[in-house]
Amino acid sequence: MTNIREQLSRLVGGALSEASGIADCNPNVIEATRSEFGDYQANGVMAAAGRCGRKPRELAEAVIDGMSDEDGIVASAEVAGPGFINIRLNDQALISRGNDVLRDPRSLIPPDRQAQKIVVDHSSPNLAKEMHVGHLRGTVIGDCLSRVLERLGHEVIRQNHVGDWGTQFGMLIAYMQELGEDSSVLQAELEDLETFYRAAKEKFDSDPAFADRARLSVVRLQGGDPEYLKAWQSFIDESLRHCQEIYGRMDVGLTLADLDAESRYNDDLDGIIRELEEKGLLQESDGARCVFLPEFKGKDGEPLPVIVQKSDGGYLYSTTDLAAVRMRSFDFEADRSLYVVDARQSLHFKQVFAVARAAGMASEDISLEHVAYGTIMGSDGRPYKTRSGDSVKLADLLDEAVARAFDLVSAKNPDLAEDERRLIAENVGIASVKYADLSKNRMSDYVFDWSTMLSFEGNTAPYLLYACTRIKSLLRKQEDDSGGNELTELTQPEERALLLKALQLPEIVEVVARECYPNLLCSYLYELSGAFMRFYEACPVLKAEPNIRNSRLALASLTEQTLEQGLDLLGIKTLERM
RNA sequence: GCGCCCGUAGCUCAACGGGAUAGAGCAUCGGCCUUCUAAGCCGAGGGUUGCAGGUUCAAGUCCUGCCGGGCGCACCA
């Protein structure tokens, strides 16, 4: 079942091509900007009229006459203003679509016509430290996009490009050895990776002998010394355990199978350099090996290098990223490769993509997309930190969210057993953090603020979850009539508005998949919840006469499906009670 | 200096390949619980979309120039 907008686009688009004689014109069908205009509006007539030299309103009339609406989805179409076509949908067509979804809830979001293979690179913490608030956005946005793309039938290859290689690990290994191999002391120390890192760093900075040992262990490690590799591996395993714990708690789908650690590419890096050299792209500058591309200029207009090998022979993350592009392009044969990474790295990705294209390390038709996101700020307008200036651990952030949610649930609903309140708080707290992030335009920086996020009013996770619990409560009380869950009539405007809104989910999901903006899905779900709340206030369900009662229960059930599926795409689970 | 991103209501944010009268929430003020969960609903006030030009039937959105802010720019990732 094609979504409503697409169906209308074809309908109007066909007639528009016919009437204007222009094959490739865009009917530009969007949801009506104001309800007086109907349900949808076609804005493309005016542009087409300009191209074929006809009067817009006259062309619009011709388009309306030429529409062959075989399914009878359009109740009325009329010319308005300078040449808009305002479209009102047929109630029966809406009811019939709604019933189709009720019979087969999966049909709400139909698969994309052509399934693609899509890499989603996200989360990517540095394993030297514990995950902190800086990893929140990449983790949550990437997880959401993965879910959306999977739901549309694409083959999604999640990649967690963790930092597990480089100089810090020499320091950490040296510090592990310092503490002694066997001890439970070590285990205890590793419980808090942040503290461990800080202690190692402190020693590194204050103890020259230790610093030497640290530098030596990098060399040993990178030289493949089994003892050092073993120590390194045990540290990595421990750090990954921390990550997976966070992912599990946040219901993020990343698993160990999705690991795409930097070290994976160690053996490829020589080859990358050789390949660049063969292509004639490599130049030496101040002892470093670089690629210069004309489109990149640095300070004072001088050519800007992409350094792929340091003067000491070491490789950089550009080199690794090139190797990763090559793998994604030629081994995975992906159609798209998304990099859900901080916006501050946009120059880096532009360079890597450009070099990869120039060197043939990316196939012609792979789409390389930096899905950039802004910074989480504190109320002082600086990147979000603790009062002492440290980065906020993700684990602590989640704890606090859950604690605040628990207080709130207890205040709102003191009759619930404590166990249940704990479970609700875990869900609500974490959902709130995720939703607060996903609902912001990913490109802009946003201010992290407990009071707006956990005030639980307005466009927040609790509002959506609350709408769900109202529906579920309603459906629980219907008791006897299990059968006949069918929409039959729309007696109130609130019912119609809700039904139409619910049927629009696939239109939004399609845009999210294309443009990678989860906040569009959030706004949609917020509007859907609002439409339900208004319906709930205006239309008695259980006390209505049987026909209407049944139809309204069906509408509630459809809304539940839509909300649940939509929230699932955000990585949020619904609740029975809250 | 060059490049990228941003500037929208007092605050936090929207506005989906340019569309008609720029929308929500918070905060403020005023209504609605003997009736399906009031974490809700209804209503009011609040704007020259940083400034100035340009493109066109139509500009918050596209182009140019300013002003203001953020970030990035040679061996960290």
Side-chain angles (χ1 to χ4, degrees), chain A residues 46-253:
Chain A
M46 291 164 285
R51 286 171 69 186
C52 68
R54 293 178 57 178
K55 289 188 178 143
R57 289 187 60 98
E58 192 185 295
L59 181 60
E61 289 292 356
V63 169
I64 290 170
D65 290 343
M67 293 196 310
S68 55
D69 180 21
E70 281 144 20
D71 299 346
I73 190 173
V74 174
S76 71
E78 48 196 45
V79 183
F84 297 99
I85 296 177
N86 289 341
I87 297 167
R88 190 178 163 81
L89 301 174
N90 184 303
D91 285 7
Q92 282 310 316
L94 294 177
I95 287 173
S96 151
R97 272 181 176 262
N99 284 326
D100 287 345
V101 174
L102 283 166
R103 275 189 293 274
D104 175 15
R106 293 290 294 180
S107 73
L108 179 57
I109 306 174
D112 231 309
R113 267 189 303 282
Q114 65 234 26
Q116 293 185 312
K117 195 182 273 192
I118 304 174
V119 173
V120 182
D121 184 322
H122 62 294
S123 192
S124 311
N126 181 349
L127 296 184
K129 299 185 187 179
E130 205 156 316
M131 288 186 80
H132 57 86
V133 67
H135 300 113
L136 178 63
R137 301 207 77 182
T139 302
V140 166
I141 293 171
D143 186 57
C144 170
L145 294 176
S146 299
R147 287 168 183 265
V148 165
L149 294 167
E150 264 159 15
R151 186 67 173 78
L152 289 172
H154 299 296
E155 182 186 342
V156 172
I157 305 174
R158 291 171 178 252
Q159 294 282 272
N160 191 1
H161 197 65
V162 298
D164 69 339
W165 203 244
T167 48
Q168 317 108 304
F169 291 96
M171 179 181 84
L172 294 168
I173 292 168
Y175 192 65
M176 283 167 79
Q177 289 165 340
E178 207 80 1
L179 291 171
E181 293 274 336
D182 54 341
S183 63
S184 51
V185 181
L186 183 61
Q187 271 309 311
E189 290 287 320
L190 285 174
E191 271 305 303
D192 189 332
L193 287 181
E194 203 61 29
T195 311
F196 187 85
Y197 182 91
R198 224 175 297 146
K201 182 86 170 82
E202 211 164 283
K203 195 165 179 62
F204 184 89
D205 291 337
S206 63
D207 181 347
F210 175 75
D212 284 342
R213 284 201 293 283
R215 276 186 279 269
L216 188 66
S217 29
V218 181
V219 178
R220 289 265 170 81
L221 176 62
Q222 299 193 334
D225 183 310
E227 190 189 330
Y228 284 79
L229 274 174
K230 196 180 154 212
W232 169 78
Q233 190 64 55
S234 77
F235 184 89
I236 296 300
D237 289 346
E238 182 63 20
S239 187
L240 283 172
R241 204 182 53 72
H242 285 241
C243 293
Q244 288 303 138
E245 200 176 305
I246 299 264
Y247 296 150
R249 194 169 179 200
M250 295 184 76
D251 197 17
V252 162

Side-chain angles (χ1 to χ4, degrees), chain A residues 241-297:
Chain A
R241 204 182 53 72
H242 285 241
C243 293
Q244 288 303 138
E245 200 176 305
I246 299 264
Y247 296 150
R249 194 169 179 200
M250 295 184 76
D251 197 17
V252 162
L254 283 169
T255 68
L256 293 176
D258 303 314
L259 273 180
D260 178 44
E262 286 183 304
S263 59
R264 175 188 201 173
Y265 298 99
N266 286 349
D267 296 339
D268 298 347
L269 302 180
D270 291 338
I272 294 288
I273 303 296
R274 227 176 5 250
E275 210 172 320
L276 290 170
E277 192 154 30
E278 282 163 13
K279 293 271 167 26
L281 290 163
L282 209 59
Q283 288 182 39
E284 201 164 304
S285 173
D286 292 342
R289 310 182 88 178
C290 314
V291 179
F292 288 91
L293 291 173
E295 60 261 47
F296 298 107
K297 299 255 191 279

Side-chain angles (χ1 to χ4, degrees), chain A residues 116-120 155 157 325-338 362-368:
Chain A
Q116 293 185 312
K117 195 182 273 192
I118 304 174
V119 173
V120 182
E155 182 186 342
I157 305 174
V325 169
R326 193 173 62 176
M327 176 175 287
R328 290 164 193 193
S329 191
F330 293 109
D331 295 339
F332 295 168
E333 297 180 307
D335 298 293
R336 297 172 74 187
S337 184
L338 311 182
S363 64
E364 294 285 324
D365 38 35
I366 189 173
S367 168
L368 301 170

